[in-house]
Every structure is written in structure tokens, then in C-alpha cells.
Amino acid sequence: MTPGPLAYFLVAAFGIGAVVSGWLVFRTDSMLRAAYWLMVSFVAVGAMLVVLDAQFLGLILILMMSGEMTIMAIFMIMFMMNPAGLNPMTMVHQHRTSIIAGVGSFLVLAWVGVVAEFPNRPAPLEDPTIALGEELLGRSMLVFESAGVALLAVMIGAIALAAKQGRFGDAFEGSEEPDMDVASGDRT
Amino acid sequence: MIDLLLVIAAAIFGIGVYGALSQQSFVMIMMGLELMLNAAVLVVVTFWWGTTGGNPSGQLLVIVILAVMAIEAAIGFALVTAVYRSRKADITEKLKKLRN
């Protein structure tokens, strides 16, 4: 299917939204807001998937990431200092190296994407969700089931790691508030 | 259209690389990893849409990546909890050594 001008406009608009909100994740002082900016980035990418006729994948990406970012926001409040961004602080290390790595990976990947020639076999207009369902419950069921088993194993492992009386003893031993002594320099 | 999508995905991936390497907070590092996986999802759907003729295996790969994202988040949060219990650490600088 050849994309029309509306599809171009929507992809560009959502793409800019995804990139800008992704950048704001690391520019805001509030860690809580960072979680929500990340959710905005995922929602924008999910909207791009819907424009690309992958409606099911776009919607489950949005649903899944909305839940995950809510959990991430709770973790921010639980564990991190300054979740609301009331005290401006910079919590970065190896900043120059990170910028070079990020910009470098962007330039290399964008160059490959622009220069390389890809086959032009666009997806047909038939409902891709039906095709995905038949694939999941037919030829590729083993892959689908393996993902489920992996998630079950992860649930057991995560509970073992995070349990109240887990490997590292009583949970209340670690229930003190984090050290808020910013002036000591160990957090900046 | 494919070029545009790949450039957008490259930008998201680059931001994720920057975040994963530069942040001190464990959860912020996880956010960088999530952004990189977000870019991977976009690239896979782009190739499925534009180059495979609608082969559903491309969509299946996205399902696998989504499972990887869930696994990364679950294990990441569990490790954050375990590390905080054992070391009271919430940033990488507090973990000078892995032993004990």
C-alpha cells in the first residue's frame, strides 16, 4: 500500500513527538515526570504503529507501557530522592562519553537507514490482526508459548529477588529513607 | 516513508543510548533501555510494513520484543529492590563492588 500525504504527516508528527518526549525524559528534574514523558514517547510510537496498519501491536504497546510507566512512577516515589523535581539536580556521569555514544549511534543508524536500499514489498490491505492471530495460534505457537514460559520464569525469579524474606534478609532492614545529603557530593 | 521511520527510530535509539550510559539512577538507566527497545519495535514494524509483503512473522517478532520489555522491567525492578535492601543503594555510584 502506498502511503498518502496524511500518513506521512501523521508519522512525522508522532515521530517528532516520540523523539522530543524521549529527550525530555533525561532533561526534567523530576523523576516522576521522566516516567510520564517516557510514557508519552511510547504512546507516540504506538500511534505510529497504528498508522502503519499494525493496530493491534500499537494498542497493546500503549496499554502495556501505560501500566509499566505507572509502576515505574511508583518505584520512583519509593526509592529515588527528589521524585517531584523540587530540588534541581544533575545525576549523570560520563556525560561527554554518553553524548558522543548517543549522537554517534544515531548518525550511524540514520545513515544506514537512508543509504541502504530495502525491498519494496508493502503489506497488503487485508486485516493484519487476523494474520497475526493465525500465526500466533498456528505455525508459531511454540514461539508464543515460549514467551509465556519465559514470563512465568521471570515472575518466579522477580519474587525470589524482591521477597520480604528473600536472599538478603528482612525487608525492614532496608526500609530507611535514602540519604538526602546532597552537599556531600556523592549524589551529584 | 521507510527512510523517515528509520531516522526517527535511530533518534529514539540514540537518546536511549545516551540515557543508559549517562544516568546514575537505576530506574533512569532502565528508562534508557526501554527507549532503545521502543526504537527496535518501531524498526521491526517498519520493515514488516514496507518490505515483507505483510508476512505475519514480522508482527510475531514485535510480540517477542514486547515480552523482552516486560522481562527487562520485571527483573530490573526486582534487582532495584534487592540492591536497595542489601546496600541501601539507589544510584550506581554506591555500588563500588559486586561482592558482598
Side-chain angles (χ1 to χ4, degrees):
Chain A
M1 182 181 65
T2 305
L6 178 62
Y8 268 101
F9 172 76
L10 289 175
V11 164
F14 288 129
I16 292 170
V19 172
V20 171
S21 54
W23 175 243
L24 287 172
V25 168
F26 303 110
R27 298 302 301 169
T28 179
D29 285 328
S30 164
M31 293 183 168
L32 196 59
R33 289 194 189 109
Y36 287 115
W37 278 123
L38 185 59
M39 188 172 75
V40 171
S41 181
F42 274 109
V43 169
V45 170
M48 291 167 76
L49 302 194
V50 171
V51 175
L52 295 177
D53 293 329
Q55 293 91 349
F56 177 74
L57 295 177
L59 289 177
I60 62 168
L61 180 71
I62 292 172
L63 285 173
M64 185 177 138
M65 286 304 131
S66 300
E68 186 178 322
M69 290 310 121
T70 307
I71 295 170
M72 198 171 266
I74 292 171
F75 266 77
M76 288 294 189
I77 296 170
M78 283 167 57
F79 285 111
M80 307 300 159
M81 79 295 287
N82 196 29
L86 299 177
N87 301 313
M89 61 170 61
T90 304
M91 290 182 59
V92 295
H93 54 187
Q94 53 188 10
H95 201 215
R96 182 188 294 268
T97 308
S98 307
I99 291 174
I100 292 172
V103 172
S105 58
F106 163 67
L107 291 176
V108 170
L109 292 172
W111 177 74
V112 170
V114 171
V115 171
E117 293 199 4
F118 302 106
N120 184 20
R121 288 198 293 272
L125 282 173
E126 287 91 32
D127 192 346
T129 306
I130 293 175
L132 175 62
E134 290 174 347
E135 179 78 13
L136 285 177
L137 299 179
R139 196 164 60 107
S140 301
M141 184 179 272
L142 184 62
V143 179
F144 189 43
E145 294 292 332
S146 301
V149 172
L151 286 168
L152 175 64
V154 164
M155 278 194 278
I156 296 169
I159 290 169
L161 278 172
K164 179 183 167 188
Q165 292 177 326
R167 185 175 174 184
F168 298 109
D170 194 336
F172 295 108
E173 290 177 11
S175 61
E176 298 171 15
E177 291 184 1
D179 180 15
M180 295 298 288
D181 186 10
V182 179
S184 67
D186 64 342
R187 291 186 178 278
T188 55
Chain B
M1 179 73 116
I2 291 178
D3 297 352
L4 173 65
L5 287 159
L6 293 180
V7 169
I8 291 169
I12 296 172
F13 188 87
I15 294 169
V17 169
Y18 163 76
L21 291 178
S22 69
Q23 297 297 308
Q24 293 179 320
S25 161
F26 296 134
V27 184
M28 295 297 283
I29 293 171
M30 285 173 59
M31 288 188 178
L33 297 175
E34 296 274 350
L35 269 178
M36 285 192 264
L37 289 167
N38 195 15
V41 167
L42 183 56
V43 168
V44 171
V45 171
T46 298
F47 284 131
W48 164 79
W49 173 80
T51 67
T52 67
N55 188 341
S57 298
Q59 292 193 80
L60 180 71
L61 186 56
V62 176
I63 298 282
V64 173
I65 295 176
L66 291 178
V68 170
M69 292 170 93
I71 289 169
E72 177 257 330
I75 291 293
F77 286 137
L79 283 175
V80 168
T81 306
V83 166
Y84 190 79
R85 279 190 184 152
S86 65
R87 307 279 185 87
K88 297 183 177 60
D90 55 354
I91 59 174
T92 53
E93 265 62 14
K94 285 197 168 184
L95 296 178
K96 299 293 187 190
K97 58 183 180 180
L98 291 175
R99 194 175 179 188
N100 298 323

